Amino acid sequence: IVVQSFRRIIDCERCSLLLMDHSTHELCFKPIGDDENHAQEVIRFSASAGIAGWVASHQQKANIVDAYHDKRFNQDVDRRTKFRTRTILCMPVIDTEGK
């Protein structure tokens, strides 16, 4: 509900909150898009992969105007979700322990 509400506020096609699974060193998320995509699978990938992995590893934000022109972009996620990412705004969410 929170991610869907945030997606509407910033008026974007897709919005995701990726969580770090420290036991497997993976990022995982469920894509949130239009209302017909409720059944999307949970996607997991290496926490060192893609722009989200870079953001998680460096604890810095990334504002990407053209995802496919950024060498860090993980195109596998687009293939799995059947969605074409154009722009990315990605920020780390860090807890009080710095994780």
Side-chain angles (χ1 to χ4, degrees):
I1 295 173
V2 171
V3 176
Q4 189 67 280
S5 296
F6 186 68
R7 184 188 70 81
R8 287 186 187 116
I9 289 169
I10 64 172
D11 192 27
C12 64
E13 291 179 273
R14 290 276 172 105
C15 185
S16 300
L17 176 62
L18 283 71
L19 302 175
M20 172 67 85
D21 183 337
H22 291 285
S23 66
T24 62
H25 196 64
E26 291 178 313
L27 292 170
C28 57
F29 74 102
K30 184 172 182 179
I32 303 294
D34 53 38
D35 293 332
E36 63 190 51
N37 289 322
H38 287 301
Q40 284 281 351
E41 66 176 300
V42 172
I43 297 191
R44 301 177 73 85
F45 59 90
S46 170
S48 62
I51 293 168
W54 184 89
V55 168
S57 298
H58 292 85
Q59 294 188 350
Q60 295 180 26
K61 69 179 186 256
N63 187 358
I64 310 301
V65 175
D66 187 337
Y68 280 82
H69 282 99
D70 192 297
K71 64 181 179 168
R72 300 168 294 179
F73 181 60
N74 182 4
Q75 295 180 24
D76 182 56
V77 173
D78 272 9
R79 283 190 287 277
R80 292 172 65 184
T81 61
K82 298 178 178 77
F83 180 80
R84 182 168 175 87
T85 301
R86 289 185 290 280
T87 61
I88 298 173
L89 177 59
C90 188
M91 301 187 73
V93 179
I94 303 166
D95 68 14
T96 57
E97 296 175 5
K99 295 182 181 182

